[in-house]
Amino acid sequence: MRKNVYLLLACFLLSAVSFAQTKPDYSKVTLVIHGGAGTITRQNMTPEKEKAYREKLNEALQVGYAVLKKGGTSLDAVEATVKVMEDSPLFNAGKGAVFTSEGKNEMDAAIMDGKTLKAGSIASVTTIKNPITAARAVMEKSEHVMMIGAGAEKFAQMQQIEIVDPSYFYTETRYQQLQKIKDKEKTQLDHDGGTGSNENIFTEGNKFGTVGAVALDAYGNLAAATTTGGMTNKRYGRVGDAPIIGAGTYADNASCAVSATGHGEYFIRAVVAHDIAALMKYKNYSVKKAAEEVVMKKLVEFGGEGGVIALDRNGNFSMPFNSAGMYRGAIKNGKAEVYIYKD
Ligand code: ASP
């Protein structure tokens, strides 16, 4: 009899301990987003355009935060958040994707789970309505990390992910951006790399419209997601940093979750996202110090324009950029903030 009581007591204590370990902690739940960086200044913004961006960024934050508050995972939150921005023509992702030099829309996306270090990415796809959902399927339903082009599209179709006609991605604004840039290409080629010459590639204030999200859920797990149409006038088959794990996207519970936006070639060479995580892991930098070191020093030296959002396991985050502006925002304790300009 007494033995049974001890046994019962032991069982009770064990389950109490494991409950305490897995008990969700909503106080640190955080979601941070970006909608691209570039020469985004008050001068080249209209009040209507600014309002539209602010509203959409806020909607994306609210959708993702609702997922986290209901006990959803950081992966669910970043996917839901990014989908809102993919479905909006305002951003260079999904519906608002930019055009390649051939007049096509070729998209890249990646997602990473900070708890398991599993990742999935797709590149150069032209028919997947929500590339981020396909990237997640690669992570969860295949034994691969990265799939590209026709193969990735076939896989998405097999996973019952929504496929659309490439004409779905046509937007007049983006098409006109390509026409303007095409005329200027000669000037661009005459220049030699670096941020200065980028001025000739891009005409609009909204240079890099990639979207991304990083989240911390109530179970203490981080996740990151990035999706993009790449760069206007890019050559066919060109892949940027967004789907390269460690360059434009990275998440590790031991350090941070990062999503980047900017001139992809530089972000790949500077291994931006992983470098931020590495500074935290090996040098004990704070998320702010690590993100600033890479974006404001290393990237600037490389000549790479853009920015990142980075979030650690305690809900500390940083949103540095070395361009004129970056669409960005965060939500924590129910309080959402959205920013566009430097100050
Ligand atoms: N990083 C993206 C790329 O190079 C562009 C962007 O951020 O808008 O493909």
Side-chain angles (χ1 to χ4, degrees):
M1 178 65 188
R2 176 170 284 190
K3 217 168 154 193
N4 281 348
V5 172
Y6 283 140
L7 211 69
L8 260 172
L9 203 68
C11 281
F12 174 77
L13 280 172
L14 263 176
S15 51
V17 167
S18 78
F19 179 72
Q21 273 168 356
T22 54
K23 199 174 158 260
D25 174 5
Y26 288 91
S27 68
K28 285 182 184 160
V29 159
T30 310
L31 174 68
V32 188
I33 61 171
H34 71 76
T39 32
I40 311 163
T41 56
R42 286 192 175 81
Q43 290 95 286
N44 53 30
M45 181 69 79
T46 61
E48 297 76 41
K49 212 166 132 190
E50 178 168 338
K51 186 168 174 276
Y53 274 105
R54 285 189 184 278
E55 278 175 9
K56 197 45 87 176
L57 288 168
N58 199 51
E59 181 190 334
L61 283 174
Q62 299 298 343
V63 166
Y65 194 64
V67 171
L68 295 169
K69 288 306 274 185
K70 271 195 293 194
T73 64
S74 49
L75 276 175
D76 292 336
V78 292
E79 184 188 357
T81 306
V82 156
K83 274 173 91 170
V84 172
M85 295 190 278
E86 282 181 339
D87 291 342
S88 163
L90 292 175
F91 305 99
N92 172 19
K95 178 65 189 161
V98 297
F99 284 86
T100 64
S101 56
E102 283 189 315
K104 283 185 173 178
N105 310 98
E106 289 180 4
M107 289 152 292
D108 306 333
I111 193 162
M112 185 156 181
D113 180 358
K115 182 184 173 193
T116 59
L117 298 187
K118 282 185 177 170
S121 80
I122 53 159
S124 275
V125 295
T126 58
T127 61
I128 301 174
K129 184 170 180 258
N130 290 107
I132 201 63
T133 302
R136 186 166 179 185
V138 171
M139 175 175 82
E140 290 176 342
K141 303 200 172 112
S142 83
E143 70 259 35
H144 308 302
V145 168
M146 189 175 205
M147 293 176 83
I148 62 160
E153 288 171 349
K154 196 166 168 193
F155 172 75
Q157 204 158 8
M158 281 164 62
Q159 299 301 324
Q160 262 106 56
I161 288 170
E162 193 172 350
I163 301 295
V164 289
D165 187 85
S167 61
Y168 164 81
F169 299 103
Y170 182 94
T171 53
E172 189 56 27
T173 332
R174 298 292 189 208
Y175 192 69
Q176 289 312 325
Q177 278 176 0
L178 173 67
Q179 302 315 311
K180 283 191 221 166
I181 293 163
K182 268 189 147 173
D183 297 343
K184 290 191 178 183
E185 194 181 33
K186 209 155 181 276
T187 333
Q188 187 249 321
L189 290 175
D190 284 339
H191 275 78
D192 195 31
T195 28
S197 69
N198 295 346
E199 294 305 322
N200 301 310
I201 313 175
F202 306 97
T203 51
E204 289 267 310
N206 184 14
K207 270 201 205 168
F208 309 110
T210 290
V211 309
V214 290
L216 172 67
D217 63 27
Y219 318 99
N221 295 317
L222 292 166
T226 315
T227 175
T228 186
M231 286 168 61
T232 306
N233 208 21
K234 68 183 180 183
R235 277 180 208 274
Y236 42 83
R238 179 265 188 188
V239 174
D241 59 313
I244 312 284
I245 299 304
T249 310
Y250 194 71
D252 180 356
N253 278 358
S255 49
C256 62
V258 181
S259 170
T261 173
H263 197 154
E265 280 69 12
Y266 294 90
F267 281 63
I268 295 173
R269 288 166 49 219
V271 207
V272 166
H274 186 264
D275 225 30
I276 295 171
L279 283 172
M280 292 179 66
K281 200 165 169 180
Y282 305 125
K283 276 190 142 182
N284 246 330
Y285 277 25
S286 69
V287 69
K288 188 169 186 296
K289 193 173 172 202
E292 278 177 4
E293 172 83 25
V294 176
V295 174
M296 310 308 279
K297 285 194 195 152
K298 186 178 180 184
L299 264 177
V300 170
E301 278 158 26
F302 265 63
E305 189 184 351
V308 304
I309 48 171
L311 170 69
D312 77 10
R313 233 190 151 177
N314 291 313
N316 302 308
F317 62 88
S318 181
M319 310 187 276
F321 53 95
N322 60 35
S323 46
M326 180 166 91
Y327 296 108
R328 61 203 189 277
I331 185 161
K332 201 175 176 170
N333 298 319
K335 205 176 144 271
E337 342 161 36
V338 164
Y339 305 98
I340 298 178
Y341 314 106
K342 203 166 250 169
D343 33 48

